[in-house]
Amino acid sequence: ERMNLGASAMMYSGISLHEKTEYLLREWVGLYHQPAAGRDSSKAFSSFVNHMSLHGILKTDELITRFFRLCTEMCVDLCYRALNEPNQSSTRVRFQCFHTLDAFVRLIVLLLKHSGDSTNTVTKVNLLNKAYIRHIEFHQLPYHRIFIMLFIELNAPEVIFDAINLQILQAFSNILHVLRPSKAPGFAFAWLEIISHRVFIGRMLAVSENQKQAWGMYAQLIVDLFNFLAPFLRNADMPKPTQLLYKGTMRVLLVLLHDFPELLCDYHYTFCDVIPSNCIQIRNLILSAFPRSMRLPDPFTPNLKVEHLPDINTPPRVMTNFAALIQPVQLRKDLDSYLKTRSPVTFLSDLRSRLQLSNTPGMKYNIPLLNSVVLHVGSQAIAHIQSKCQTPSTSAIAHSSHMDIFQNLAVDLDTEGRYLFLNAMVNQLRYPNSHTHYFSCTLLYLFAEANTEAIQEQITRVLLERLIVNRPHPWGLLVTFIELIKSPLYKFWTHDFVHCAPEIEKLLESVARSCIQPKQA
Amino acid sequence: GVTPLGPVPLTPEHEFQLAMLERASRRMPMLNDSEKFREYLPNNSCPTKLYPQQLIPPLQAPDFFSKLEPETLFFVFYFMEGTKAQYLAAKALKLKSWRFHTKYLMWFQRHEEPRAITEEFEQGTYIFFDYERWGQRKKENFKFEYKYLEDQEI
C-alpha cells in the first residue's frame, strides 16, 4: 500500500485536501515511531517536510491551518473509535490514542520550530472545535493530551521557544479561557488537570521575567473556575461531579498557597469578588496567604500590640483597580465628593438604594459594587489618616466622612445587606498591613458604637463563622476576634446572643479558653 | 446556615452544565493522560485497600539509587525511558564503575585490569548486562572502543 514519495506525490496531486491530509498524517505517525526518526524526530521531519511541500500543503498559511484542523479532527476521530470499542482495556485504548496524538503533537512542534511565523501559529491551531464540545458524547482525552503535550514540548528548554515564551503562555491561556468550564463543561475535568499540571503552574508562575503578565493570565483562569462553580456552591447542592471538581479546586488552591502565596495575595480581591459568600474555606485559603518574606507574630501572644508592628502601615498590593469598579461613574463622583466635603447628607440616605439591585431575597444587592465601595472608602480613609501623620486607631478612625458611610451602612442596611457589607470588610482581614489594621479597628468600632444588638450579633456571626471551619485562618481575622472577646471595652460576654444557645455559648467559651489561656493559667 | 443568602434557582444553562459535567465525570482523565508515554510500564493505578498505605520514601533522592542492586538499576534504565528515574539510575551505575556502550546499548564493567589500553580502545575481560537474556554475562578478550563510550558528565 505504501508507495515511494515521488510517485505518491504525483498520484495524489489531483485529490482533495482531506485525503492528502489523511495520507500525510498516517505517513508521519509511521515515521515518528521508527527508530531511525532521530533525536526529537528531526531526521524524519526533514524528509517529511519535503513530502508536505510536494503536496502543496505549505503554500499558504490558510492551507497549513486547514491541514492542522483536519489532522486534529482525524486524531480525535481515531481516539473516539478506540474509546468506543467495547471490551478494550483502558491501557490498550490509551496506547492506541497516544500513538497518534503524540506523533501529531511532535509534528506541530517541529513545524512551529521551523516556520518563520512561529508566534501566531499556536493560536492558528484552533485545536478545540466548539462543535465537538457541545456534543453530549464528548471525550476529553484527545484534546487533553494534545494540549498538555504541546504545552510541555513548547516549554522545553530551547532557545527558539524561550524567545517567544510569553506569547506561548499567552496563546495557551487565551485558548484555556475560551474553553473555560462554563463554556465547555464537558471539558472541565481535563481543563482543571491542565491548569493544575506541574509544568503548567511552573511555567506560568515561576518564570520571573514574565511574572507579572503571566500571573494575571493565570489569575483569570482561576476566576473562570470560581465563576463556573459559584452557582452550585452557593446553593450548597452539589452532585458528585461538582464535588469532585470542588475538591480539585481546593487542591490547586492549597498548592498555590504553599508555593505561590503572593499570587493569592495580589489577586485576593478579584477572587473574593467571585467566590460565593457561603464558601468560607475557599475564601479563608485565599485570605490566609501572605508574602513569604514575612514572619507573622502569633495572634495568641498575650498583649500583642498590633499597632506597633512594622508592617502595619504598609498597604498591601492589590492587583485589581477596585475604584474603577464603582459604577456608574456618577456614584463614584458623589462618593468622592462626600468623602471630601462630608455633605450632602442625602448621599448617605440614598446609598442603600444605589447598592440595591432587586427586591428578591438573596439577590438584593450588587455584591461586587458593595465590595468596591467598602475597599475604596477604607483605602481613602487610610490615606486621609496618614496625611495627618497618624496611624489608624479606634480614635483616629472615628468621626470622619468615611466612618459616616460605614456606620450608615451598618444601621441602614437590612440583614442581607449588612451581612454582605460586613463580609466585604472581613475580606480585608489578612496578614499585617494597613488595610488589615484599618478594617480590624473599624469592625471593632462598629461593634462598640452599635445602637442595636442585631449589628453586634451579625459582626460576631461573620467573624465566628470564618473561625469555626478548619484551618487555615487569616491572621487579621484571629487578631480581630481575640481583641473582641478579650478587651473589656466591648463587654462581649454581657450580650444576649452570646448566651442564646448552649452550643454557641460552649463554642465561644472554648475559643476564649484557647486565646485567653495564658492569663488564666 | 450553609446558604445564608438562600438558594437561587438554576438556569437551563446551569442545568446543561451539570449534565455535561456528569457525562464527563464518567470518563475522568487518567494519571498517564498528561504524562510522557511509557511503553513498558504504563501507569495503571488501581485501588488498593491492602498494606502498604503509605507513600514510598523519596525516590528522587540521588543516594536512594546508589543503594539499589545493579539489576534494579538496569531495569529502571531499560524500562523507564525518558524519566528522571532513568537518569538517576544511569548516574548510579556510573558511580558503580559501569560504562555504557553506545553501539551495543549495554552496560560494561571491567572484570580485571585491561590487558591493553591505547588511545582508541581498551581490551580485556568484561562483565556486561545482556538486556535480551536479562542477565550478567562475561566476555573475554573484548575490545571496548572509546568512541562508543558514553562519557558525558551527568
Side-chain angles (χ1 to χ4, degrees):
Chain A
E1 196 189 303
R2 193 169 291 181
M3 346 189 156
N4 75 55
L5 300 189
S8 72
M10 277 191 288
M11 284 222 17
Y12 283 86
S13 59
I15 59 164
S16 71
L17 181 68
H18 192 278
E19 281 165 297
K20 277 184 195 173
T21 308
E22 194 170 359
Y23 172 77
L24 283 168
L25 182 64
R26 193 171 298 151
E27 189 75 31
W28 170 253
V29 175
L31 283 171
Y32 171 84
H33 288 286
Q34 266 170 25
R39 199 168 245 266
D40 297 333
S41 333
S42 47
K43 273 189 199 140
F45 181 70
S46 54
S47 69
F48 186 71
V49 160
N50 289 334
H51 201 180
M52 275 181 86
S53 61
L54 276 176
H55 281 291
I57 301 289
L58 301 173
K59 262 185 217 148
T60 62
D61 272 4
E62 202 238 322
L63 266 174
I64 297 178
T65 311
R66 281 175 60 199
F67 172 75
F68 272 139
R69 175 159 300 151
L70 284 168
C71 280
T72 311
E73 280 172 21
M74 284 165 195
C75 289
V76 170
D77 278 349
L78 190 135
C79 293
Y80 271 52
R81 259 177 279 139
L83 285 159
N84 289 332
E85 237 172 83
N87 309 324
Q88 284 278 25
S89 84
S90 72
T91 312
R92 174 132 193 87
V93 168
R94 273 160 165 83
F95 189 91
Q96 287 174 2
C97 295
F98 296 173
H99 187 78
T100 307
L101 292 173
D102 289 1
F104 176 46
V105 166
R106 179 64 56 79
L107 180 63
I108 301 175
V109 172
L110 288 166
L111 280 168
L112 285 180
K113 215 159 146 183
H114 295 94
S115 76
D117 187 15
S118 37
T119 41
N120 68 39
T121 321
V122 187
T123 37
K124 271 192 282 183
V125 188
N126 189 2
L127 292 172
L128 288 160
N129 183 326
K130 273 192 197 147
Y132 279 99
I133 303 272
R134 307 293 290 192
H135 200 265
I136 198 82
E137 284 307 322
F138 178 69
H139 283 280
Q140 312 174 69
L141 172 82
Y143 301 104
H144 180 196
R145 179 89 182 164
I146 292 175
F147 251 106
I148 197 66
M149 285 299 136
L150 195 55
F151 187 85
I152 292 172
E153 295 226 6
L154 292 179
N155 280 284
E158 282 202 51
V159 188
I160 307 175
F161 296 141
D162 276 350
I164 53 163
N165 188 250
L166 188 62
Q167 286 95 320
I168 292 175
L169 298 181
Q170 180 96 56
F172 271 93
S173 33
N174 283 347
I175 299 174
L176 287 169
H177 176 62
V178 170
L179 297 169
R180 59 192 177 277
S182 47
K183 290 283 175 239
F187 191 57
F189 291 109
W191 188 91
L192 183 60
E193 285 269 321
I194 293 169
I195 72 158
S196 58
H197 193 278
R198 62 180 192 287
V199 178
F200 190 76
I201 292 186
R203 291 302 287 200
M204 290 293 282
L205 302 181
V207 180
S208 55
E209 68 248 55
N210 296 335
Q211 182 169 318
K212 280 302 143 245
Q213 286 164 74
W215 279 35
M217 302 179 227
Y218 196 81
Q220 177 61 53
L221 296 175
I222 299 288
V223 167
D224 290 340
L225 185 57
F226 288 146
N227 271 330
F228 175 72
L229 284 170
F232 314 118
L233 287 171
R234 183 201 152 118
N235 287 357
D237 176 23
M238 309 244 289
K240 200 137 186 264
T242 329
Q243 282 176 31
L244 271 172
L245 203 64
Y246 172 76
K247 231 187 208 170
T249 307
M250 288 298 271
R251 285 192 183 184
V252 179
L253 288 175
L254 281 168
V255 169
L256 293 175
L257 178 66
H258 186 270
D259 288 358
F260 302 98
E262 289 90 354
L263 177 89
L264 300 185
C265 290
D266 287 1
Y267 291 94
H268 92 284
Y269 182 89
T270 321
F271 295 152
C272 287
D273 232 14
V274 291
I275 299 170
S277 46
N278 59 332
C279 299
I280 311 278
Q281 198 169 23
I282 292 195
R283 217 175 19 228
N284 269 356
L285 254 170
I286 289 162
L287 299 179
S288 300
F290 59 91
R292 263 172 296 189
S293 55
M294 270 184 131
R295 290 286 162 270
L296 306 193
D298 181 1
F300 295 102
T301 316
N303 303 320
L304 177 70
K305 291 275 178 281
V306 174
E307 57 275 18
H308 293 154
L309 294 175
D311 300 305
I312 219 69
N313 292 315
T314 322
R317 192 164 54 190
V318 180
M319 297 301 275
T320 319
N321 187 355
F322 51 86
L325 293 174
I326 305 178
Q327 294 290 344
V329 183
Q330 193 54 46
L331 175 58
R332 188 159 137 221
K333 279 187 185 152
D334 294 348
L335 178 61
D336 284 336
S337 138
Y338 182 85
L339 290 179
K340 228 174 247 154
T341 62
R342 221 176 167 179
S343 69
V345 192
T346 51
F347 174 78
L348 291 179
S349 48
D350 290 345
L351 186 56
R352 172 186 171 163
S353 60
R354 293 169 88 167
L355 295 169
Q356 204 161 344
L357 283 173
S358 72
N359 281 316
T360 321
M363 309 170 77
K364 280 191 197 164
Y365 294 93
N366 183 341
I367 302 175
L369 179 62
L370 189 55
N371 286 341
S372 55
V373 167
V374 166
L375 187 52
H376 180 63
V377 172
S379 59
Q380 292 297 308
I382 297 166
H384 180 69
I385 294 165
Q386 286 179 341
S387 73
K388 294 192 293 183
C389 297
Q390 289 177 314
T391 48
S393 67
T394 326
S395 56
I397 60 171
H399 312 297
S400 65
S401 53
H402 314 89
M403 192 48 85
D404 286 351
I405 291 174
F406 287 152
Q407 278 184 302
N408 173 69
L409 286 174
V411 174
D412 202 27
L413 288 169
D414 59 0
T415 316
E416 181 181 332
R418 202 183 301 126
Y419 179 70
L420 298 169
F421 162 64
L422 293 171
N423 260 323
M425 296 217 271
V426 178
N427 284 351
Q428 310 308 325
L429 303 180
R430 300 188 290 151
Y431 57 90
N433 64 53
S434 64
H435 289 182
T436 297
H437 186 47
Y438 173 80
F439 282 103
S440 176
C441 292
T442 305
L443 275 161
L444 293 170
Y445 182 81
L446 289 177
F447 188 94
E449 298 292 312
N451 55 0
T452 68
E453 228 185 26
I455 301 176
Q456 295 169 321
E457 180 177 347
Q458 233 176 342
I459 295 177
T460 312
R461 180 241 159 94
V462 169
L463 294 171
L464 191 64
E465 75 174 356
R466 293 191 188 210
L467 288 169
I468 55 173
V469 297
N470 284 329
R471 285 187 304 163
H473 303 123
W475 182 86
L477 178 72
L478 279 166
V479 165
T480 309
F481 192 71
I482 292 171
E483 182 66 17
L484 179 67
I485 60 172
K486 243 164 91 170
S487 167
L489 225 65
Y490 307 108
K491 304 190 186 72
F492 182 75
W493 301 101
T494 66
H495 294 290
D496 280 345
F497 59 82
V498 176
H499 310 286
C500 68
E503 60 266 34
I504 294 199
E505 201 170 354
K506 253 190 214 148
L507 181 78
L508 283 166
E509 274 165 11
S510 83
V511 176
R513 232 175 294 133
S514 66
C515 31
I516 319 182
Q517 205 167 31
K519 220 157 87 185
Q520 286 180 332
Chain B
V2 197
T3 52
L5 299 180
V8 164
L10 293 182
T11 63
E13 178 73 20
H14 292 146
E15 301 287 357
F16 171 76
Q17 291 174 353
L18 279 183
M20 290 297 285
L21 200 65
E22 149 67 21
R23 286 274 173 166
S25 73
R26 292 185 219 162
R27 303 187 183 109
M28 285 300 251
M30 288 172 66
L31 216 60
N32 49 359
D33 286 357
S34 51
E35 296 301 329
K36 226 180 140 173
F37 183 59
R38 283 163 67 171
E39 199 173 345
Y40 300 110
L41 296 169
N43 209 330
N44 287 326
S45 52
C46 56
T48 50
K49 288 237 162 58
L50 300 167
Y51 178 85
Q53 291 282 300
Q54 278 120 16
L55 286 172
I56 26 186
L59 294 181
Q60 304 285 310
D63 67 321
F64 174 81
F65 277 80
S66 61
K67 288 181 206 146
L68 297 175
E69 291 293 314
E71 183 157 342
T72 314
L73 295 173
F74 291 129
F75 178 79
V76 172
F77 182 81
Y78 287 110
F79 286 88
M80 298 175 72
E81 205 190 328
T83 62
K84 186 161 184 195
Q86 187 195 33
Y87 167 80
L88 293 170
K91 219 171 161 169
L93 282 169
K94 282 196 179 180
L95 277 176
K96 291 181 201 262
S97 304
W98 287 89
R99 298 289 173 261
F100 191 63
H101 196 291
T102 57
K103 186 178 165 198
Y104 299 121
L105 305 178
M106 288 180 193
W107 290 86
F108 285 76
Q109 195 181 44
R110 284 179 186 170
H111 185 61
E112 52 179 30
E113 272 302 301
R115 286 191 206 139
I117 298 184
T118 72
E119 288 278 296
E120 276 92 36
F121 65 88
E122 58 181 61
Q123 197 163 13
T125 308
Y126 292 83
I127 306 284
F128 69 99
F129 188 83
D130 184 339
Y131 60 83
E132 275 173 331
R133 284 183 286 177
W134 204 257
Q136 293 191 14
R137 298 270 182 279
K138 192 152 98 180
K139 188 146 183 87
E140 279 165 30
N141 215 15
F142 176 71
K143 195 162 146 191
F144 197 129
E145 291 183 69
Y146 289 143
K147 66 175 174 181
Y148 297 124
L149 177 67
E150 198 279 315
D151 60 353
Q152 276 177 42
E153 272 302 318
I154 60 169

